[in-house]
Amino acid sequence: MYPLIGHNGGPALDTAAPDPVETLVLDLEIANVDATVRARELTTALKTFGDKIETADQAHNLVDLIAQMGAFTAKAEDARKMAKAPHDALSKACDGFFKPMADDVKAAKETAIDLLSAYMRGVAKDDKDKATIRTDLGQVASLSDDIGFTIDAPEAVPLEYWKIDETAVRAAVKKAVPIAGVTRIVTRKAGVR
């Protein structure tokens, strides 16, 4: 923005605070130009192999490229963790400040709701009466049913309500332990070290 003609001042300065996310992204881009270029080189190099490997030479070159990609990924992950660490510390400090307050007030609110619920159940005419209370400030409280459950006989619960523990199934399948209703699928895949 420029001042009107005849004004003695220079261009108006933008006094808005910079966006911290934009600033961080710009700082990361500047500090990691080499990594950005290397990532582009590695992904572009893969395109030179086409859709099919036909010679041992191509396979050897691809093994080397995969190893370089693995090394790059590990370095990028380490750099990400290092760049993120100070922000994690700030985030934890914010959580440490606000969470105890919110938890204390939330617990107090639950106690207040229990007190109010007991009173309202006492004044309700029957199980259908909502026993509504309206305050001068416009707040409204009314009784409603909160439906919960306990499982008394797990063996009697129909299978449609059970959840499969995929982690346990994966571990058993890896060890070739047969499981009724589960098919073990083995896919051979190259690994590069």
Side-chain angles (χ1 to χ4, degrees):
M1 172 185 254
Y2 291 93
L4 297 173
I5 295 175
H7 190 280
N8 292 332
L13 296 176
D14 184 3
T15 58
D19 180 286
V21 173
E22 288 178 10
T23 302
L24 174 63
V25 170
L26 183 60
D27 289 347
L28 289 171
E29 287 173 352
I30 291 168
N32 295 286
V33 170
D34 292 346
T36 303
V37 169
R38 184 64 177 143
R40 197 172 302 120
E41 288 172 354
L42 290 169
T43 56
T44 302
L46 178 61
K47 293 175 185 172
T48 65
F49 287 92
D51 293 336
K52 187 177 180 185
I53 302 299
E54 296 177 352
T55 68
D57 242 9
Q58 288 177 313
H60 286 248
N61 291 337
L62 189 56
V63 168
D64 287 341
L65 179 62
I66 292 168
Q68 291 173 43
M69 289 173 163
F72 175 86
T73 303
K75 282 179 71 174
E77 182 63 16
D78 290 344
R80 181 191 69 80
K81 287 177 183 174
M82 283 180 54
K84 191 174 168 258
H87 305 286
D88 287 342
L90 293 172
S91 176
K92 286 177 185 174
C94 287
D95 289 347
F97 180 78
F98 287 106
K99 192 166 182 346
M101 266 191 290
D103 288 349
D104 288 349
V105 173
K106 183 177 179 182
K109 178 183 171 189
E110 291 301 318
T111 300
I113 288 172
D114 290 344
L115 286 169
L116 182 61
S117 297
Y119 169 77
M120 293 177 76
R121 283 191 302 268
V123 298
K125 296 177 187 92
D126 56 37
D127 288 345
K128 302 287 185 214
D129 183 11
K130 294 188 179 275
T132 302
I133 298 173
R134 293 183 191 280
T135 71
D136 293 340
L137 299 176
Q139 304 300 324
V140 178
S142 59
L143 285 174
S144 63
D145 295 332
D146 184 15
I147 309 297
F149 65 91
T150 61
I151 297 176
D152 304 317
E155 67 281 354
V157 176
L159 287 177
E160 65 195 67
Y161 298 103
W162 287 84
K163 182 179 177 187
I164 294 174
D165 182 350
E166 291 190 23
T167 303
V169 171
R170 190 178 327 283
V173 166
K174 194 171 183 177
K175 294 177 182 175
V177 174
I179 303 172
V182 174
T183 302
R184 184 173 191 255
I185 300 170
V186 178
T187 304
R188 297 190 77 201
K189 206 171 182 180
V192 177
R193 295 182 298 277

